[in-house]
Amino acid sequence: MDEKIRVDCSGEKEVGGRRRFRVLLVLTLVYVAALSLSAFMDLPKLFIRNEWSELGVNVFLWRLAISLFSWVWSVVLVCILMRMHRGRRLLGREMPWGMYITGTGLMLASFLFPFVDGYTIEMGLFIQFRDFFTIDGVPFVIGLLCLILGYILRIGLACQNEVEETI
């Protein structure tokens, strides 16, 4: 019964796959940045030539919303890359805030877009209060899920900070 308990407090172990993750992160950042830039470059053309009426209100509004979310996630991905480059942990304040902004934006879009003339709810999931107030249900639910995920990420970050302070 002479067991010895060994605890290794020398530091964090290196997580495998870091290089592959960095390559994947850079490719995602390039794609998201290109998506946001191309969407914003098309906006003046859509407004000047009134092409948004040919596209349809739904396509125009969601293209605008996705380009805004792409800008937010471009910033989040750049912050993650900077954290990786400095050798710090990946999970920071940027991820929960990106989720909060995306969730809030989707919920606002689900409230505001149905008020635009010509907007139609495509998926059939909607919440309606009498005849004057409609919520597009699909982006509303996705926004709620983003807010919940952001909260879970924030709690995880707080737990991680607490563990690091304890050690």
Side-chain angles (χ1 to χ4, degrees), residues 55-59 62 118-126 136-139:
L55 275 176
V57 175
N58 288 22
V59 173
W62 284 113
Y119 184 81
T120 57
I121 296 176
E122 302 284 332
M123 298 296 249
L125 177 63
F126 61 91
D136 193 352
V138 173

Side-chain angles (χ1 to χ4, degrees), residues 6 13 23 65 90 99 135 160-161:
R6 300 183 74 202
K13 293 182 180 179
V23 168
L90 295 179
M99 293 304 291
I135 299 172
Q160 184 179 8
N161 289 338

Side-chain angles (χ1 to χ4, degrees), residues 6 23 33 43 46 53 55 63 74 82 93 96 111 119 142-143:
R6 300 183 74 202
V23 168
L43 284 179
L46 293 173
S53 61
L55 275 176
R63 186 180 288 181
S74 295
M82 288 179 9
R93 293 184 314 216
F111 284 116
Y119 184 81
I142 294 171

Side-chain angles (χ1 to χ4, degrees), residues 4-17:
K4 292 183 180 181
I5 298 174
R6 300 183 74 202
V7 178
D8 183 17
C9 296
S10 62
E12 295 180 11
K13 293 182 180 179
E14 185 66 29
V15 177

Side-chain angles (χ1 to χ4, degrees), residues 73-91:
W73 282 101
S74 295
V75 171
V76 169
L77 292 174
V78 165
C79 291
I80 291 172
L81 274 173
M82 288 179 9
R83 283 179 166 278
M84 285 182 72
H85 182 69
R86 293 179 185 156
R88 295 169 48 193
R89 64 174 185 239
L90 295 179
L91 188 60

Side-chain angles (χ1 to χ4, degrees), residues 92-163:
R93 293 184 314 216
E94 299 85 16
M95 285 287 283
W97 279 106
M99 293 304 291
Y100 286 148
I101 291 170
T102 303
T104 305
L106 283 170
M107 290 180 73
L108 280 174
S110 70
F111 284 116
L112 297 177
F113 287 179
F115 285 113
V116 177
D117 287 336
Y119 184 81
T120 57
I121 296 176
E122 302 284 332
M123 298 296 249
L125 177 63
F126 61 91
I127 303 166
Q128 189 168 7
F129 300 102
R130 301 208 175 123
D131 292 335
F132 59 92
F133 191 70
T134 304
I135 299 172
D136 193 352
V138 173
F140 182 77
V141 170
I142 294 171
L144 280 175
L145 292 174
C146 286
L147 291 176
I148 290 169
L149 185 59
Y151 180 74
I152 291 171
L153 287 170
R154 192 182 83 185
I155 296 300
L157 180 62
C159 290
Q160 184 179 8
N161 289 338
E162 185 177 323
V163 166

